[in-house]
Amino acid sequence: QVQLVESGGGLVQPGGSLRLSCAASGSIFSINFMGWYRQAPGKQRELVAAITSGGSTNYADSVKGRFTISRDNAKNTVYLQMNSLRPEDTAVYYCTADLEVVAGIGEDYWGQGTQVTVSS
């Protein structure tokens, strides 16, 4: 069974950094897309960053220049390096992936979420 396991969340001061990791495990034929969403209290879930198997990336305007998404295909892992963190970055961060368990059939998977709190 496919699982996405997130790690790296926690409490950090404004201006600090965190590195989130998300590892996909299980019987996976291919991963087409991996990314991070976040949801803050009272707000809609939003895309933070995404990366395709080809390396194309997309970022929310609010994190451009501060966050970097990367991947390790050999480990089926995606990372989110978060620098210059701000209180408004506080949210539950969710890893997501579009992957194929069966060749040619892409399905969405989600991690359990990891809390990121930016506070002095």
Side-chain angles (χ1 to χ4, degrees), residues 37-46 90-94 115:
Y37 282 73
R38 69 185 181 187
Q39 188 165 24
K43 296 184 178 180
Q44 296 180 340
R45 186 173 297 189
E46 65 174 347
T90 296
V92 177
Y93 285 70
Y94 297 91
Q115 177 70 47

Side-chain angles (χ1 to χ4, degrees), residues 13-27:
Q13 293 184 336
S17 298
L18 285 173
R19 182 177 174 87
L20 305 183
S21 299
C22 174
S25 63
S27 181

Side-chain angles (χ1 to χ4, degrees), residues 2-98:
V2 174
Q3 289 186 320
L4 300 180
V5 180
E6 299 146 315
S7 62
L11 175 65
V12 66
Q13 293 184 336
S17 298
L18 285 173
R19 182 177 174 87
L20 305 183
S21 299
C22 174
S25 63
S27 181
I28 300 171
F29 177 78
S30 67
I31 298 176
N32 304 314
F33 164 101
M34 296 190 79
W36 295 91
Y37 282 73
R38 69 185 181 187
Q39 188 165 24
K43 296 184 178 180
Q44 296 180 340
R45 186 173 297 189
E46 65 174 347
L47 175 70
V48 178
I51 187 167
T52 69
S53 61
S56 297
T57 59
N58 189 36
Y59 296 92
D61 288 341
S62 60
V63 308
K64 288 180 179 177
R66 299 188 298 121
F67 291 11
T68 302
I69 189 169
S70 61
R71 59 181 179 165
D72 185 333
N73 290 336
K75 297 180 179 179
N76 287 338
T77 299
V78 64
Y79 305 94
L80 185 67
Q81 178 66 46
M82 304 185 294
N83 298 326
S84 301
L85 283 162
R86 304 166 180 170
E88 53 263 41
D89 295 317
T90 296
V92 177
Y93 285 70
Y94 297 91
C95 176
T96 188
D98 178 81

